[in-house]
Amino acid sequence: MTSGRESSRRSPGGGREPGRPGGDGRGVPAPGGHRLGLHRISGASLRAVAAGEAGPADLALLRAGQRSQLLLVLRALLDRADGLPGPGRRGGPSARSVWEVLAAAEERDAEAVGAVLDDPSVMAWAMRLLRRVGGGSGAARGAAAPLWADLGQFQALAAAAALRAGTEVTLRVPAYRGLVWVPGAGVAGPVSRRRWSEAEFQVAGGGAVVRGECAQVRLPGAGALAEPAAGWRPLVELCGPDDVLREPRGAARSAEGWPDGGGPGRGLRLDAVTPYRDFDVWPRAPLRLGERRTRLWRERLRGACALLARESPQDAAALGALVRVLVPRAFPSSPGGLVPSASSPEAFGAVALSLPYDEPQTASVLVHETRHQELTALMSLVRLVRDPEAGAVDAEGAAGAGERLYYAPWRGDPRPARGVLHGVYAFAGVARFWRAHREAAEGAGARRADFEFAVFREQVGEAVAALVAGGDLTEAGLLFVEEVAAPLERWRKEEVPGEPARLAAHYCAARRALWRWRHLAVGEAFAARLAGDWAADRPAPPLPAPVLAPSEEAHRSPAFGTLARLSLSAPGAFTRRLRRAVAEGDAAAAAECAAVAGDAEAAERWYGVRVAADPGDAEAWIGAALVRRRGSAAAALLLDRPETVFAVHRAVVAAGVRPADPLELAGWLAAGAAAVTA
């Protein structure tokens, strides 16, 4: 199993200069006559990563592969940059001369350059710029910077490396809204009032000065870049390496095998300032968090890292090795609710998330996103999913034309195999975390952990079965999924207490039924025939398999999961929410709250209010089936085949024949199915 290539010549940040791969698979001579090497991953390492048991050498390999990818992208940019406009109207040094600045800094202090290249925003900038100058798909998506400014960040990269390494240089760099990006450290300014301008970045005497049109800023020395100063906004240190990393049980404490030769990690930092930190739109202006908010981030993250170190040391080790930066998002986080979070293959080492409500919630989202980082890095080394016959998969795992789509239990939309595989791996890690945490937690925390464990073990198992049967995995992919799924059978035998188990089963069944209703279909002709059979009092015929017909409408997430988590984590807050819904006559909220509370009679009454207003309200009928008739054949068929039931219901209404509610139709369809089976 092999990955991207790197040569034996020196280059910034990796000790090697990337070259072009050869067609024979053995590599071709790089400049200077040296041959290119290959990253290789063994079957044992593949299994270790899949099982969530990656050791220091395995994690080092994943990071090294991503470093090689970055160097290859920088080299590709270098090959294209000299024919493109330099920074601003004055032009600038050639890309080759800027590369020499980077190389000189690396010769002086390789670890300093590594600290700059470790900034996930560097990879994000480089990947987007390469698409832009190469004319690839999505070349201009999200881009709002003039080309000269995007290219000019090459100078900012060299200046940041020179500052850390202590090499003297003067370069002209872009300024966005007067702010100059110092990769790996922060932003300086404002030194200009214009949206885009140039600034001079002078490194000398162990420090640096940034001069713009209307101001200048003196930067702290390389050893003090983490400290804020006048005109200087650094990335915020949340946790140091010792706070984040705990070696797996039985592992020797050693820096051997880690990339950069400097140990396993640099800790976690909060990036609210750099212009390329956003995964979708760039550049972004800095976000002002304030001291109180920053303190909350620091406390929450340190507590979560300590929790992982105690209860899930393998996850703590992966987090410390692979995640560098957290990007705050301005989304609210409710008590016990899920945290909005995201990762991008183009920003390895960065995780975007809103401030979690508590430490277990924080730890869970860190495990989830670290797993995405691991799989992203692994899939750059070994192919786990077969190439689609037609179309392609984008960076976020969305499907291309002609690609097989699957039910991903944690998503509202159908997903391609690559996306489902990412979810399986991420949520298997989350399930393992909650399984461990439920042994240590007490009271409401234990009930929440029981619920999350029950939900994710069921969802991961369902998605694994679909992936294995789908035929889209390579041999290595099947091996990987087999290892991920290995503990599931054991987990299924573990008892979950009654209330969390009930809520988890209801939640998973509701999500599955709603997904089928939205994205599966039966033919209109067949539905019309069934409507005719119903009107004529004939038995229902056998039901054909539905076909996938993805809905492009936006769908809100079901409220049941949020309310279930609230009831388990903060019972008082849940009771207030229930009372408010009843007092306001909010039928949708009152029905869901009653279902969560286990009050089937009240839930049935409120669902009835909904269907009286809209007889075709599929969500209400599905909810009613779950709370009042789950043991009946009619309810079972409505939950198992909602797309068929509601297609027939629409046909009956359209034909104006003998009316029926969906549950009555489901009972008729179920009787026909039973007769055929008998």
Side-chain angles (χ1 to χ4, degrees):
M1 301 175 191
T2 60
S3 79
R5 301 142 173 98
E6 53 182 6
S7 79
S8 301
R9 288 194 63 193
R10 302 290 294 185
S11 76
R16 299 179 185 277
E17 179 183 29
R20 296 183 178 85
D24 62 0
R26 295 172 297 168
V28 297
H34 299 288
R35 284 200 169 268
L36 304 176
L38 294 171
H39 293 295
R40 300 182 183 278
I41 183 165
S42 66
S45 290
L46 181 68
R47 286 186 177 277
V49 174
E53 302 290 335
D58 302 317
L59 295 171
L61 176 61
L62 297 181
R63 281 192 62 194
Q66 290 297 291
R67 173 63 61 81
S68 290
Q69 178 174 307
L70 173 59
L71 293 176
L72 285 166
V73 171
L74 291 177
R75 174 56 186 265
L77 286 173
L78 176 68
D79 290 342
R80 290 166 172 79
D82 280 340
L84 297 167
R89 297 179 180 177
R90 305 183 191 181
S94 69
R96 296 277 170 181
S97 63
V98 174
W99 187 263
E100 291 303 321
V101 173
L102 278 167
E106 198 264 351
E107 290 288 346
R108 183 181 180 96
D109 190 341
E111 187 175 349
V113 177
V116 174
L117 297 183
D118 265 348
D119 184 347
S121 289
V122 172
M123 179 179 279
W125 157 75
M127 294 286 284
R128 295 161 186 171
L129 179 56
L130 182 61
R131 282 204 310 272
R132 187 174 185 180
V133 301
S137 61
R141 182 178 62 88
L147 181 56
W148 70 261
D150 255 356
L151 286 165
Q153 302 297 3
F154 232 130
Q155 275 84 312
L157 191 68
L163 173 60
R164 285 187 178 272
T167 57
E168 296 190 356
V169 70
T170 299
L171 293 168
R172 297 199 65 78
V173 296
Y176 173 61
R177 299 187 183 275
L179 298 174
V180 170
W181 178 35
V182 184
V187 294
V191 296
S192 171
R193 296 185 180 90
R194 291 190 289 150
R195 181 178 176 83
W196 286 103
S197 59
E198 292 176 273
E200 182 183 83
F201 197 125
Q202 183 179 23
V203 181
V209 177
V210 176
R211 298 183 180 89
E213 296 170 336
C214 60
Q216 71 175 31
V217 173
R218 184 169 295 277
L219 300 185
L225 286 173
E227 300 298 324
W232 173 241
R233 297 186 62 183
L235 276 61
V236 176
E237 297 283 351
L238 294 174
C239 310
D242 291 338
D243 298 313
V244 176
L245 181 83
R246 296 295 183 273
E247 292 287 358
R249 291 187 182 95
R253 184 79 173 182
S254 170
E256 221 172 82
W258 294 101
D260 310 328
R266 304 180 191 276
L268 284 173
R269 295 183 294 172
L270 192 69
D271 183 359
V273 297
T274 60
Y276 294 90
R277 70 187 186 277
D278 193 279
F279 297 159
D280 299 313
V281 178
W282 62 91
R284 279 286 193 192
L287 176 67
R288 294 195 177 275
L289 292 175
E291 290 185 11
R292 179 180 175 277
R293 197 72 171 171
T294 300
R295 184 174 65 254
L296 281 174
W297 275 98
R298 186 177 286 116
E299 291 172 354
R300 201 68 43 82
L301 267 296
R302 287 182 175 174
C305 289
L307 187 155
L308 287 175
R310 293 192 306 271
E311 299 179 7
S312 192
Q314 291 285 358
D315 292 319
L319 171 67
L322 302 179
V323 179
R324 291 287 170 267
V325 164
L326 302 183
V327 178
R329 284 192 164 183
F331 294 133
S333 180
S334 63
L338 294 178
V339 181
S341 64
S343 298
S344 170
E346 295 188 355
F348 178 75
V351 170
L353 73 164
S354 59
L355 179 64
Y357 181 77
D358 57 19
E359 290 173 3
Q361 187 186 48
T362 308
S364 172
V365 76
L366 290 176
V367 169
H368 176 97
E369 296 298 343
T370 299
R371 284 286 186 116
H372 281 307
Q373 303 284 332
E374 285 187 84
L375 189 53
T376 291
L378 180 68
M379 292 177 78
S380 72
L381 301 179
V382 58
R383 192 181 305 280
L384 301 180
V385 178
R386 298 183 189 281
D387 288 331
E389 293 182 4
V393 180
D394 69 15
E396 285 75 36
E403 190 167 16
R404 187 196 313 267
L405 296 175
Y406 296 81
Y407 169 51
W410 40 83
R411 296 275 305 207
D413 56 335
R415 302 293 286 167
R418 180 184 295 266
V420 178
L421 181 60
H422 260 280
V424 161
Y425 186 58
F427 284 109
V430 173
R432 185 177 73 168
F433 163 75
W434 286 113
R435 176 178 178 269
H437 185 61
R438 75 193 193 112
E439 298 299 323
E442 298 178 349
R447 292 192 296 273
R448 166 74 188 277
D450 287 333
F451 172 80
E452 301 294 1
F453 171 64
V455 165
F456 292 124
R457 73 175 174 184
E458 179 172 341
Q459 291 186 335
V460 170
E462 188 170 8
V464 162
L467 271 181
V468 170
D472 286 318
L473 299 178
T474 64
E475 182 180 351
L478 286 168
L479 177 69
F480 182 84
V481 169
E482 176 186 293
E483 197 66 39
V484 172
L488 286 176
E489 192 60 38
R490 183 175 71 254
W491 291 356
R492 289 191 190 99
K493 297 175 182 177
E494 296 182 9
E495 184 178 355
V496 173
E499 183 66 2
R502 176 186 72 84
L503 291 171
H506 184 121
Y507 175 66
C508 291
R511 288 192 68 92
R512 187 183 306 112
L514 287 169
W515 188 92
R516 289 185 64 99
W517 163 63
R518 288 169 180 156
H519 302 298
L520 296 182
V522 296
E524 291 183 6
F526 180 76
R529 173 192 162 191
L530 284 174
D533 289 339
W534 163 262
D537 287 325
R538 290 191 291 268
L543 302 182
V547 297
L548 184 67
S551 169
E552 296 183 357
E553 295 181 13
H555 301 289
R556 70 179 188 274
S557 298
F560 187 91
T562 300
L563 292 169
R565 291 178 169 99
L566 182 64
S567 73
L568 294 168
S569 301
F574 171 76
T575 300
R576 291 190 294 273
R577 180 71 184 93
L578 171 59
R579 290 172 178 167
R580 184 169 71 250
V582 172
E584 295 173 353
D586 184 343
E592 295 295 280
C593 284
V596 168
D599 188 343
E601 183 178 346
E604 179 180 353
R605 185 170 63 253
W606 284 108
Y607 283 127
V609 173
R610 289 182 60 178
V611 299
D614 179 7
D617 185 342
E619 293 186 35
W621 284 111
I622 288 169
L626 282 164
V627 298
R628 65 171 169 152
R629 300 185 187 179
R630 192 170 181 183
S632 72
L637 191 132
L638 188 145
L639 295 174
D640 289 343
R641 297 292 300 270
E643 70 289 343
T644 304
V645 172
F646 288 102
V648 176
H649 183 259
R650 288 192 298 271
V652 167
V653 171
V657 299
R658 183 165 63 88
D661 67 40
L663 269 173
E664 187 179 359
L665 283 171
W668 173 68
L669 293 169
V676 170
T677 302

